[in-house]
Amino acid sequence: MVNVQPRQDAYVSGSGTISAGKYDDVRVSGSGRILGDIQCVKVKVSGSAKFNGKIESEFLNCSGSAKCLSDVEVQKLNVSGSLSIDGKVTGGDVHVSGSFKTKNDLNVDSVNISGSMRTIGMVKAEVISVKGSLSAEKGAECEAFTAKGHISMNGLLNAENVKITHSGFSYGYSYVPEIGGETIEISRFDDSNIFTRVFTRVFNARTNFRSDVIEGSAIKIDYTTSSVVRGDAVTIGPKCKIDLVEYTEDVQIHPSAKVKEVKKIEQ
């Protein structure tokens, strides 16, 4: 018979340190410093914490302020406070309602953002949902990408299905240099109420989503500025500014859109 020793919990409620090791729960409600790699079931930070080593945990909940200097492997990550990670992030579901910053890639199952997320790396997930602000230096790769907020990327956004609802006056205009996918839909915010209609008139020049290249099978866009739009069935909606539209099957262009050149590509 093998005796399994139970893991202990580690708490910091005032000011203190936690050694590297294996734990059940690691909780910091005061000011704490974790000295090395830890493996645990749950990490909860409601105060201020600095992690010097790698974190391997089933749950990581940050409602306070935390900084991680190494990699984080977690099945569920919830950020309602402020969290900064220098290493890679791998695991399951990521929920951000606060402020989340990383200096490396994220490779997870899903990302849900209602706050602010900024990464110098690439975001890889099955599903990415943005209702706040996402800045991804190296772009994003997923199956489904939906956004109702601000997006800023310097790399490719590659997804099977892309649906973006953008607003120019909340955080400044959104920009993604290249978008590739099967179905791509880009539209302006809902202007069904008087407040958004007024802002549309006042800030009309700022409400265009911007991209260099948009390429997919079925594309439907409005209030978008792009150098090239390339697809099978392409619908260019109101207030678009496009240099070149290339299509193989069908193209529709709204009277208020400005398109310099339209070219049909023979298959």
Side-chain angles (χ1 to χ4, degrees):
M1 182 176 179
V2 178
N3 291 322
V4 179
Q5 297 296 325
R7 297 183 181 182
Q8 294 182 340
D9 296 335
Y11 299 102
V12 175
S13 57
S15 177
T17 61
I18 296 174
S19 300
K22 297 181 179 181
Y23 301 95
D24 278 334
D25 290 355
V26 173
R27 299 186 183 184
V28 179
S29 57
S31 177
R33 188 159 56 98
I34 291 77
L35 302 179
D37 297 349
I38 58 169
Q39 294 180 1
C40 56
V41 176
K42 183 185 295 183
V43 177
K44 184 175 181 179
V45 178
S46 55
S48 175
K50 183 177 182 180
F51 296 83
N52 290 333
K54 181 179 180 180
I55 299 174
E56 293 183 53
S57 180
E58 293 183 22
F59 305 95
L60 197 165
N61 189 318
C62 179
S63 58
S65 176
K67 182 175 180 62
C68 305
L69 301 182
S70 188
D71 297 342
V72 173
E73 183 178 333
V74 62
Q75 291 306 308
K76 289 188 181 296
L77 172 61
N78 184 54
V79 183
S80 56
S82 176
L83 175 62
S84 175
I85 298 175
D86 288 354
K88 294 181 180 180
V89 180
T90 58
D93 302 325
V94 175
H95 295 269
V96 180
S97 57
S99 176
F100 182 35
K101 297 179 181 180
T102 75
K103 292 185 178 180
N104 219 309
D105 295 342
L106 283 86
N107 193 342
V108 295
D109 293 338
S110 69
V111 177
N112 190 306
I113 304 167
S114 57
S116 173
M117 176 173 163
R118 184 172 183 268
T119 176
I120 297 177
M122 172 179 280
V123 182
K124 291 184 179 182
E126 291 294 320
V127 178
I128 299 174
S129 175
V130 182
K131 294 182 180 179
S133 174
L134 170 64
S135 175
E137 187 71 20
K138 295 183 180 179
E141 183 178 319
C142 60
E143 293 295 321
F145 183 93
T146 60
K148 292 183 179 180
H150 177 257
I151 310 165
S152 176
M153 297 184 186
N154 285 329
L156 169 68
L157 169 57
N158 184 20
E160 288 293 315
N161 300 296
V162 176
K163 186 172 183 179
I164 298 172
T165 305
H166 62 92
S167 169
F169 53 82
S170 295
Y171 302 92
Y173 67 82
S174 292
Y175 171 72
V176 178
E178 186 174 355
I179 301 175
E182 286 295 316
T183 62
I184 299 172
E185 183 177 345
I186 303 172
S187 61
R188 197 183 53 179
F189 58 89
D190 180 14
D191 61 355
S192 60
N193 62 65
I194 185 63
F195 177 79
T196 52
R197 284 202 300 269
V198 169
F199 269 83
T200 299
R201 293 169 185 167
V202 175
F203 296 94
N204 190 56
R206 305 182 192 178
T207 57
N208 271 23
F209 178 90
R210 300 190 183 186
S211 181
D212 299 327
V213 178
I214 301 172
E215 185 169 357
S217 181
I219 300 173
K220 183 178 180 181
I221 59 177
D222 62 40
Y223 288 85
T224 298
T225 298
S226 181
S227 298
V228 178
V229 177
R230 182 182 297 116
D232 298 327
V234 178
T235 299
I236 306 297
K239 304 298 181 180
C240 286
K241 298 177 183 179
I242 312 297
D243 291 339
L244 172 63
V245 173
E246 294 182 342
Y247 72 99
T248 60
E249 297 175 3
D250 180 66
V251 63
Q252 298 182 33
I253 300 175
H254 192 274
S256 69
K258 296 180 180 180
V259 179
K260 292 182 180 179
E261 183 180 0
V262 178
K263 183 185 296 185
K264 184 173 183 179
I265 306 300
E266 299 297 335
Q267 293 179 313

